[in-house]
């Protein structure tokens, strides 16, 4: 393009040059749709939303994969009960397969122990995420959900620039600072020319098992604020102790979530 300055990371325009920066998918794989699951801050349940969305997609009969791009805080394998390490050859890595057939790749499937910390600098972490795309034999995948680390740092930039992301799901919580965080995530998505498919408000109250009343532990819902930013709220997920127990036991695939179904409906 005539007005190109060579800085694709700050450009929202579509052009042939942008596609040159995409990493090449493993030759034995096809991925029809890539969905990033992002949050502006940590601790809002992004990985849970990723896992539940993947489970909902799998229940529809689709071939589903989860790429765990949260290299320094991987939690996806444990939620799915994956304990065996990933296998591979010199040039290829094979993903873990969950009980229902979801394909998963995470750094915890490569480390000697899942409690080993990943003490790497940003470029090395970004390189690992790219390798999950280029070196893993995913096979034929209809929907790949990418569990991204919180914030707008190196890994988020790597995913947006190197993977053909079709859209993102924004995960938030009902706290006062949500408006600022949503604006940051929305602006980054706009800069990278990636559509926001919608938002999920997680930890949206807790239902008392005795009286049935909903208590807003983290303040009232901010769904209206989010929608004023032009982002559709797909679901509000309440805190549920049974969800936590099943995730800790590696049984996230046993959870049936109407909110996750709504997220998958927006992804399709």
């Amino acid at each position: 393009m005539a007005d190109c300055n060579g800085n694709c990371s700050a450009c929202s325009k579509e052009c042939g040059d942008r596609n040159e920066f995409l990493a090449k998918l493993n030759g034995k794989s096809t991925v029809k749709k890539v969905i990033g699951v992002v949050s502006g801050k940590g601790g809002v349940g992004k990985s849970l939303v990723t896992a539940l969305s993947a489970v909902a997609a799998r229940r529809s009969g689709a071939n589903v994969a989860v790429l765990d791009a949260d290299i320094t805080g991987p939690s996806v394998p444990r939620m799915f009960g994956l304990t065996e390490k990933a296998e591979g050859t010199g040039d290829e890595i094979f993903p873990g397969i969950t009980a229902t057939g979801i394909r998963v790749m995470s750094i915890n499937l490569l480390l000697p122990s899942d409690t080993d910390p990943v003490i790497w600098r940003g470029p090395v972490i970004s390189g690992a995420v790219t390798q999950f795309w280029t070196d893993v034999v995913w096979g034929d995948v209809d929907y790949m959900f990418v569990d991204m680390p919180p914030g707008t740092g190196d890994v988020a930039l790597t995913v947006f620039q190197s993977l053909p992301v079709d859209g993102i799901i924004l995960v938030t919580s009902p706290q006062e600072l949500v408006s600022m965080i949503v604006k940051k995530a929305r602006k980054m998505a706009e800069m990278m020319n990636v559509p926001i498919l919608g938002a999920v408000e997680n930890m949206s109250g807790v239902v008392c098992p005795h009286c049935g009343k909903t208590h807003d532990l983290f303040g009232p819902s901010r769904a209206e604020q989010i929608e004023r930013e032009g982002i559709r709220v797909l679901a509000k997920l309440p805190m549920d102790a049974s969800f936590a127990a099943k995730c800790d036991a590696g049984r996230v695939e046993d959870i049936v979530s109407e909110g996750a179904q709504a997220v998958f409906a927006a992804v399709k």
Side-chain angles (χ1 to χ4, degrees):
M1 299 179 67
D3 58 348
C4 179
N5 63 6
N7 184 12
C8 290
S9 65
C11 176
S12 62
K13 297 180 180 179
E14 284 289 345
C15 69
D17 291 338
R18 175 177 292 275
N19 292 330
E20 293 180 5
F21 288 89
L22 293 178
K24 186 177 180 180
L25 178 66
N26 176 271
K28 297 180 181 178
S29 309
T30 59
V31 179
K32 294 179 181 176
K33 188 168 285 191
V34 179
I35 306 300
V37 183
V38 308
S39 64
K41 65 182 291 295
V44 297
K46 171 184 49 58
S47 296
L48 174 63
V49 172
T50 301
L52 291 178
S53 301
V55 169
R58 182 59 183 155
R59 286 204 178 107
S60 76
N63 293 325
V64 181
V66 176
L67 190 160
D68 188 357
D70 194 353
I71 302 295
T72 59
S75 57
V76 170
R78 179 166 183 173
M79 287 193 288
F80 282 101
L82 291 174
T83 56
E84 294 186 7
K85 300 304 176 183
E87 298 181 354
T89 64
D91 300 319
E92 298 174 336
I93 306 171
F94 299 100
I97 307 294
T98 72
T100 65
I102 298 172
R103 302 158 203 182
V104 175
M105 179 47 62
S106 169
I107 195 67
N108 262 10
L109 297 180
L110 300 174
L111 297 174
S113 169
D114 59 10
T115 59
D116 289 346
V118 177
I119 308 174
W120 297 347
R121 294 189 182 277
V124 179
I125 293 175
S126 298
V129 172
T130 303
Q131 281 189 287
F132 285 172
W133 177 256
T134 60
D135 295 359
V136 174
V137 181
W138 294 102
D140 296 325
V141 173
D142 297 312
Y143 300 97
M144 175 180 284
F145 293 89
V146 182
D147 184 18
M148 294 169 59
T152 55
D154 287 349
V155 173
L157 188 60
T158 295
V159 171
F160 286 144
Q161 286 187 322
S162 302
L163 275 61
V165 180
D166 294 282
I168 64 173
I169 301 296
L170 178 63
V171 183
T172 70
S173 61
Q175 294 169 309
E176 282 288 353
L177 47 70
V178 71
S179 178
M180 176 190 69
I181 292 169
V182 168
K183 288 178 181 178
K184 286 180 179 289
R186 188 202 67 201
K187 288 179 179 178
M188 182 173 191
E190 289 174 351
M191 291 176 65
M192 304 309 300
N193 200 34
V194 177
I196 298 178
L197 303 178
V200 174
E201 185 178 76
N202 194 31
M203 296 184 281
S204 187
V206 61
V207 179
C208 175
H210 301 292
C211 68
K213 182 179 179 181
T214 299
H215 299 275
D216 296 325
L217 296 183
F218 297 102
S221 171
R222 307 290 172 181
E224 290 186 5
Q225 276 185 285
I226 295 171
E227 295 198 330
R228 283 199 295 270
E229 293 295 329
I231 300 171
R232 183 162 60 112
V233 176
L234 304 174
K236 297 198 298 182
L237 301 180
M239 297 183 70
D240 191 321
S242 69
F243 281 22
K246 287 178 180 177
C247 288
D248 286 344
R251 295 168 46 213
V252 70
E253 289 165 298
D254 292 346
I255 298 174
V256 177
S257 167
E258 292 184 5
Q261 293 289 348
V263 172
F264 177 54
V267 166
K268 289 194 295 186

